[in-house]
């Protein structure tokens, strides 16, 4: 499956901005089942400085600076991505979750040092006891890790309501757990922190989700979503991505952009400005299938 993706982020300021600095993680990653064949960025106004580097998680980061007065700023990324089917292990044939957790206690084998970094707390996530209590019904004694993870995914989908007005980017996870409402970022964070509370590695994935119009209706432009999901490490197989918002393992509808410990590592566009007064941010995503 191939996709053309357009991601538009627009800032409007109530007073002029003298200088703005931004960092963007917008280029879809290359993985075993995904290839980014084309990628470009365009800007309005054009930045005075543009650099690129790869961060410690393997994400491409574009850094740009506008050093002239401006009252709006827009960055548009355009990508052409090819996806192959994702092969998933049989959840019932994966190791018991306790055996996996034991692998990430000192001393950790050298070949597990990379996933080990995702077994601990991170800037936005602390694996506290309430999260362990929430996870425990899924992680019964001897249960295969991927079967337990799938059950956790189902419970989040069943017990939590999708509500864009219930949370913001800064809403703490304990409030999400209490209100049982939130959005994809919250549900991904909840799944990740719950796994870590059980001593298991889990990482955050940002990307895009292709949406499907109702039967007989045309696909509308700009209604696809910037999305977030989670990933669980399965020894002998690797990382397995799952989407608690939609209660599924990832498929050809999920396009991976960036990977990190939590949202703070993978924010699509973030920045700092001098001046600007009040500001508004608009984001639009279009995921267009173009055949296989």
């Amino acid at each position: 499956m191939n996709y053309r993706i357009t991601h538009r982020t627009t800032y409007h300021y109530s007073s002029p901005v003298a200088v703005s600095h931004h960092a963007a993680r917008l280029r879809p990653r290359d993985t075993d089942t995904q290839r980014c064949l084309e990628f470009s960025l365009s800007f309005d106004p054009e930045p005075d400085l543009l650099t690129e580097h790869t961060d410690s998680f393997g994400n491409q980061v574009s850094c740009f600076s506008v050093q002239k007065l401006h009252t709006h700023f827009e960055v548009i990324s355009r990508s052409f991505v090819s996806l192959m089917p994702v092969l998933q292990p049989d959840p019932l044939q994966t190791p018991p979750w306790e055996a996996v957790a034991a692998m990430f206690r000192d001393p950790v084998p050298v070949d597990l040092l990379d996933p080990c970094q995702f077994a601990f707390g991170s800037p936005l996530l602390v694996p506290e006891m309430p999260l362990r209590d929430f996870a425990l019904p899924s992680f019964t004694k001897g249960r295969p890790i991927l079967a337990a993870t799938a059950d956790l995914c189902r419970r989040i989908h069943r017990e939590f309501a999708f509500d864009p007005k219930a949370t913001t980017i800064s809403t703490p996870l304990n409030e999400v757990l209490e209100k049982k409402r939130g959005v994809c970022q919250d549900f991904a964070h909840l799944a990740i922190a719950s796994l870590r509370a059980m001593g298991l590695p889990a990482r955050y994935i940002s990307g895009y989700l292709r949406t499907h119009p109702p039967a007989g209706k045309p696909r509308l432009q700009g209604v696809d979503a910037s999305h977030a999901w989670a990933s669980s490490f399965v020894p002998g197989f690797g990382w397995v991505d799952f989407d608690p918002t939609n209660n599924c393992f990832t498929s050809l509808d999920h396009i991976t952009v960036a990977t990190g410990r939590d949202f703070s590592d993978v924010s699509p566009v973030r920045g700092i400005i001098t001046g600007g007064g009040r500001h508004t941010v608009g984001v639009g995503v279009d995921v267009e299938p173009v055949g296989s």
Side-chain angles (χ1 to χ4, degrees), residues 15-257:
S15 60
V17 172
V19 177
S20 64
H21 302 286
H22 302 268
R25 290 168 173 83
L26 292 168
R27 186 190 190 279
R29 289 179 67 117
D30 290 329
T31 70
D32 290 342
T33 58
Q34 175 178 296
R35 289 291 180 270
C36 180
L37 303 177
E38 299 174 12
F39 178 73
S40 66
L41 290 172
S42 59
F43 308 89
D44 182 25
E46 286 292 325
D48 299 280
L49 178 66
L50 173 62
T51 63
E52 293 184 344
H53 69 275
T54 301
D55 69 15
S56 61
F57 302 109
N59 307 309
Q60 180 173 304
V61 186
S62 301
C63 298
F64 35 91
S65 175
V66 180
Q67 302 175 12
K68 48 185 170 286
L69 289 176
H70 55 286
T71 56
H72 82 282
F73 181 68
E74 181 175 70
V75 54
I76 303 173
S77 69
R78 294 179 174 88
S79 310
F80 181 66
V81 179
S82 180
L83 270 68
M84 295 175 286
V86 178
L87 298 177
Q88 306 283 12
D90 180 349
L92 297 178
Q93 299 303 313
T94 54
W97 72 267
E98 301 99 327
V100 178
M103 295 178 182
F104 293 94
R105 302 191 193 109
D106 284 335
V108 177
V110 172
D111 61 336
L112 293 180
L113 289 180
D114 181 68
C116 186
Q117 67 180 313
F118 298 99
F120 303 99
S122 56
L124 299 180
L125 301 179
V126 178
E128 300 172 310
M129 188 58 67
L131 293 162
R132 181 177 173 85
D133 293 340
F134 175 73
L136 274 173
S138 297
F139 289 83
T140 53
K141 184 177 180 180
R143 195 173 196 179
I145 182 173
L146 205 53
T149 299
D151 187 67
L152 177 68
C153 182
R154 283 191 295 270
R155 288 177 51 224
I156 293 173
H157 182 262
R158 183 179 65 243
E159 297 175 19
F160 289 73
F162 187 88
D163 183 353
K165 297 182 179 179
T167 60
T168 67
I169 290 175
S170 60
T171 300
L173 194 53
N174 59 358
E175 185 175 327
V176 176
L177 193 60
E178 178 183 347
K179 290 183 175 179
K180 294 191 178 300
R181 312 182 77 82
V183 294
C184 58
Q185 173 187 301
D186 302 308
F187 304 150
H189 276 165
L190 177 59
I192 293 164
S194 297
L195 285 165
R196 291 178 185 168
M198 302 303 297
L200 299 165
R203 62 185 187 179
Y204 186 99
I205 313 293
S206 71
Y208 305 118
L209 178 66
R210 175 194 176 188
T211 57
H212 296 268
K217 298 292 185 180
R219 196 185 69 85
L220 302 178
Q221 299 294 311
V223 298
D224 299 288
S226 183
H227 195 44
W229 55 94
S231 191
S232 175
F233 184 77
V234 179
F237 184 86
W239 291 101
V240 178
D241 293 1
F242 64 99
D243 181 352
T245 303
N246 294 292
N247 187 27
C248 65
F249 291 107
T250 58
S251 68
L252 290 173
D253 290 334
H254 292 77
I255 300 126
T256 299
V257 173

